[in-house]
Amino acid sequence: MAALPPVVSSMPPPVVDHVALFNQTSLACSKLITQRYSTSFTLGIRTLDERFHPAIYAVYGFVRWADEIVDTFHDRDRATLLREFRDETYRALDEQFSMNPVLHAFQLAVHRYGIDREFIEAFLHSMAMDLEDIEYDQQLYNEYIYGSAEVVGLMCLRVFCEGDEQQFEQLREPARRLGAAFQKINFLRDLRSDYEERGRVYFPGLSYAQFDDAAKRRIEDDIRADFQAGYEGICQLPRTAKLGVYLAYVYYLKLFDTIRQLPASRILAGRVRVPDNTKLLLLVGSYFRYRLRTI
């Protein structure tokens, strides 16, 4: 029997939107960075409304890459790397395009949600501070925390508020306080590694040799006040964002409670962690409180 002739489709080939594909691929890179560098942050993002995922991944990818420049590549000229990263960031924002997928994803989020350039500038300034040998007084400490942590919370808040300026202004201060609490806990947890690996002690008026139980309690009192102010803001967040931010809150609260129960000598002995099984329990408990509308 003679072979049948091949069937030739009369349908035209599918049209590929290459710009959309480039955007999607860039955003996927930021998602991968988040997944590789922070399981906790990835878990928190998954509990947000799905429409927020790409932008929050993009914000994390941007801040993670800048942080890697100043904290990881000690065998390279970090000042030049950061300056080039800064220049590329502003070029991406101005041109609304970058061949760097992290920066392309970030500029998409910035333009979609109106993220303030002042936040970006403050963040990059704090990253540059990490390249200097600074003895932190209260002013520099506040300046560093604002740029390294508070503005990241404000970037995310811009996303969550979706253009509602009144809501953003109402939640601005609680978002800053929550970001400050998270960063101060990081400083406390990483006191030893920051000093031994990078020669840094961020807390003003405190040397590494002076860290004792009394100094630890003073720092904890400051963190507790920030936590309370931040929680009040969480209760006012849009429901689409509340569970994800609350989960980050309870994770850091658990870490904070663990640190509070330990003597200063134990903090200097090694990094305190929250076990993965405890994180899972925190997620389940947070979900039920969210469903019962008790937050």
Side-chain angles (χ1 to χ4, degrees), residues 23 37 48 51 82 85-87 154 193 199-200 225 237 287 290 294:
N23 292 345
Y37 279 87
L48 299 170
R51 69 178 181 271
L82 185 62
F85 184 80
R86 176 195 181 94
D87 291 345
L154 293 174
S193 61
R200 304 174 193 158
L237 277 171
Y287 176 76
Y290 171 78
T294 59

Side-chain angles (χ1 to χ4, degrees), residues 18-216:
H18 290 282
V19 173
L21 180 61
F22 183 77
N23 292 345
Q24 292 164 6
T25 305
S26 296
L27 290 164
C29 288
S30 291
K31 180 179 179 179
L32 178 62
I33 289 168
T34 310
Q35 293 171 332
R36 291 291 178 87
Y37 279 87
S38 178
T39 55
S40 299
F41 206 84
T42 300
L43 187 61
I45 292 176
R46 287 176 179 169
T47 63
L48 299 170
D49 189 283
E50 190 172 356
R51 69 178 181 271
F52 296 145
H53 291 189
I56 301 301
Y57 282 132
V59 169
Y60 182 89
F62 171 72
V63 301
R64 179 77 263 171
W65 246 216
D67 194 60
E68 285 302 299
I69 290 173
V70 299
D71 277 352
T72 300
F73 301 110
H74 296 278
D75 59 338
R76 298 186 179 273
D77 183 348
R78 293 175 296 153
T80 297
L81 289 174
L82 185 62
R83 184 170 59 252
E84 291 173 347
F85 184 80
R86 176 195 181 94
D87 291 345
E88 290 176 20
T89 296
Y90 284 115
R91 188 177 304 114
L93 294 174
D94 291 340
E95 298 179 2
Q96 299 188 35
F97 174 80
S98 177
M99 286 304 295
N100 179 325
V102 170
L103 294 181
H104 187 72
F106 182 61
Q107 69 82 19
L108 288 173
V110 169
H111 290 105
R112 167 67 178 83
Y113 291 98
I115 294 173
D116 310 58
R117 286 209 183 191
E118 184 268 322
F119 301 159
I120 301 167
E121 175 61 25
F123 170 74
L124 291 170
H125 174 66
S126 285
M127 294 300 96
M129 290 174 73
D130 269 339
L131 298 178
E132 302 175 20
D133 185 11
I134 296 176
E135 184 174 338
Y136 284 88
D137 58 18
Q138 191 65 48
Q139 179 181 345
L140 288 173
Y141 176 69
N142 293 340
E143 182 180 322
Y144 181 83
I145 288 178
Y146 175 71
S148 66
E150 294 178 25
V151 297
V152 178
L154 293 174
M155 291 181 198
C156 294
L157 184 62
R158 277 293 186 202
V159 176
F160 301 150
C161 290
E162 298 183 281
D164 187 331
E165 190 65 28
Q166 181 178 355
Q167 185 178 56
F168 178 83
E169 289 302 327
Q170 179 181 345
L171 295 173
R172 176 194 287 265
E173 185 60 20
R176 288 186 58 179
R177 297 288 294 276
L178 189 63
F182 290 173
Q183 183 66 296
K184 291 170 186 176
I185 291 171
N186 288 340
F187 290 163
L188 195 54
R189 177 194 60 187
D190 298 335
L191 192 67
R192 176 180 175 177
S193 61
D194 280 339
Y195 179 74
E196 292 185 348
E197 297 172 16
R198 305 174 185 94
R200 304 174 193 158
V201 175
Y202 290 102
F203 297 111
L206 178 71
S207 71
Y208 187 73
Q210 292 172 328
F211 184 69
D212 56 17
D213 289 338
K216 178 172 172 286

Side-chain angles (χ1 to χ4, degrees), residues 246 280-290:
Y246 180 72
L280 180 59
L281 291 174
L282 292 173
L283 170 62
V284 173
S286 298
Y287 176 76
F288 278 109
R289 282 190 286 273
Y290 171 78

